[in-house]
Amino acid sequence: MDMGRESRWEKDAMTVEIVFALVTAVVLGAAVFAPALVLTLAFDLSGSASKGVLTGGALVGGAAGVWRLVVVLYRFGAEHRKGH
């Protein structure tokens, strides 16, 4: 067996971890954006106020999603390097 190559199990584990990271990042981003959307609809905001709240919610939601993606993949990489 070639020691420099990853086994099929390791490739599958990496694929599952990437999909998990992407799905949880999208869910977290949506969960963070949802209050901005609800706030806009509940207070019937319009114009620049609505745009500002939704833009802020999208930025914070996007940042939270990227943070989640990085944390999950970094943790997987650290465990993979340790040999777990």
Side-chain angles (χ1 to χ4, degrees), residues 19-31 61-62 64-70:
V19 170
F20 172 76
L22 287 171
V23 169
T24 59
V26 167
V27 170
L28 178 63
V66 169
W67 171 80
R68 175 67 181 166
L69 184 68
V70 169

Side-chain angles (χ1 to χ4, degrees), residues 3-81:
M3 295 301 286
R5 301 184 69 154
E6 295 175 338
S7 72
R8 182 72 179 157
W9 181 88
E10 289 172 324
K11 289 180 184 178
D12 289 346
M14 190 177 304
T15 301
V16 168
E17 198 67 25
I18 290 169
V19 170
F20 172 76
L22 287 171
V23 169
T24 59
V26 167
V27 170
L28 178 63
V32 171
F33 175 73
L37 182 61
V38 169
L39 181 68
T40 301
L41 295 174
F43 290 111
D44 197 28
L45 298 177
S46 61
S48 62
S50 172
K51 186 176 179 181
V53 171
L54 292 177
T55 301
L59 288 174
V60 175
V66 169
W67 171 80
R68 175 67 181 166
L69 184 68
V70 169
V71 167
V72 170
L73 294 179
Y74 180 78
R75 186 180 327 139
F76 178 75
E79 289 176 9
H80 184 68
R81 285 188 297 274

